[in-house]
Amino acid sequence: MIHADLKGKTAIITGGASGLGLCAVELFTEMGCTVAICDVNEERIATQVTRLTEMDRHVLPAPADLRDNDSVDAMVKQAAEAMGGIDYLVNVAGHSVTLEIIPPGDLQSQTEQLWQDIMSVNLMSVFRTVKAAEPYLRESKGAVVSTSSMSGFRPVVPVPLTVSPKAVSPP
Ligand SMILES: NC(=O)c1ccc[n+]([C@@H]2O[C@H](COP(=O)([O-])OP(=O)(O)OC[C@H]3O[C@@H](n4cnc5c(N)ncnc54)[C@H](O)[C@@H]3O)[C@@H](O)[C@H]2O)c1
């Protein structure tokens, strides 16, 4: 059980419209924090903002495509102005579609664009959000939490391998 008094605090949570990000939104708002729900899916943001507002939680929509620097900059600026600053930046957004469309034995079906997209959302977006939020976080002496996956430490094999495990393991 996690508990802290976050009344008067503000956060941006990326990927906040579903999955782990939405869990973080639930937890932070339950502890009194005002949260800007950042996601590329505006429909899901609207659904969660309506639902959580009805529960008297303090949330606001912060739509952005984290693959795009200008979109990130605008989202962070608008959220900071609307909330009066940023105490926490929580990076959760991820391209979890990768679990379905990169079977290790099907390299030929992959494109460079797919890999660019994955790197842009899963890796570069953290650089973009932290850079955009840095002035506000310095001001508030705030904190950044960036989530990752155990897949970063070891291969996850969701389908039977058609190539040797050694071929997909890091050196
Ligand atoms: N679910 C798990 O058990 C688990 C465990 C370890 C790591 N992870 C990783 O954590 C991340 C989130 O997982 P999840 O299960 O919550 O996934 P999810 O698909 O439920 O949520 C990801 C959210 O990120 C958003 N998103 C994707 N691309 C975006 C973009 N370009 N701009 C803004 N928002 C974007 C999606 O719209 C979605 O709402 C993934 O990278 C996943 O691999 C998940």
Side-chain angles (χ1 to χ4, degrees):
M1 181 85 178
I2 302 172
H3 191 76
D5 184 2
L6 300 185
K7 281 189 204 75
K9 300 289 187 185
T10 60
I12 292 176
I13 300 183
T14 75
S18 82
L20 299 179
L22 180 56
C23 291
V25 172
E26 300 260 5
L27 185 63
F28 275 65
T29 55
E30 191 184 348
M31 294 189 287
C33 193
T34 297
V35 175
I37 301 178
C38 170
D39 206 286
V40 73
N41 189 322
E42 297 193 29
E43 205 177 307
R44 277 207 296 245
I45 295 178
T47 302
Q48 295 308 329
V49 166
T50 303
R51 184 180 69 85
L52 289 160
T53 303
E54 281 169 1
M55 294 164 65
D56 289 330
R57 306 286 181 92
H58 298 137
V59 288
L60 57 141
D65 185 341
L66 298 172
R67 292 170 297 185
D68 179 63
N69 216 28
D70 291 344
S71 179
V72 172
D73 283 350
M75 177 275 295
V76 168
K77 189 165 182 282
Q78 280 166 22
E81 281 171 9
M83 297 191 295
I86 303 168
D87 293 297
Y88 312 116
L89 168 65
V90 184
N91 293 300
V92 190
H95 215 310
S96 52
V97 72
T98 52
L99 282 179
E100 288 155 34
I101 61 177
I102 304 192
D106 191 13
L107 188 63
Q108 297 308 319
S109 72
Q110 296 172 37
T111 62
E112 187 171 330
Q113 185 56 48
L114 170 66
W115 279 67
Q116 296 277 15
D117 254 27
I118 293 164
M119 295 303 279
S120 190
V121 179
N122 288 0
L123 179 64
M124 292 308 296
S125 74
V126 175
F127 169 74
R128 295 186 189 109
T129 55
V130 171
K131 188 175 177 190
E134 185 200 0
Y136 306 101
L137 292 167
R138 282 197 186 279
E139 176 80 27
S140 65
K141 296 189 169 42
V144 178
V145 177
S146 297
T147 61
S148 184
S149 169
M150 287 303 290
S151 311
F153 293 101
R154 53 165 172 69
V156 174
V157 183
V159 293
L161 277 174
T162 55
V163 293
S164 158
K166 282 183 183 158
V168 294
S169 298

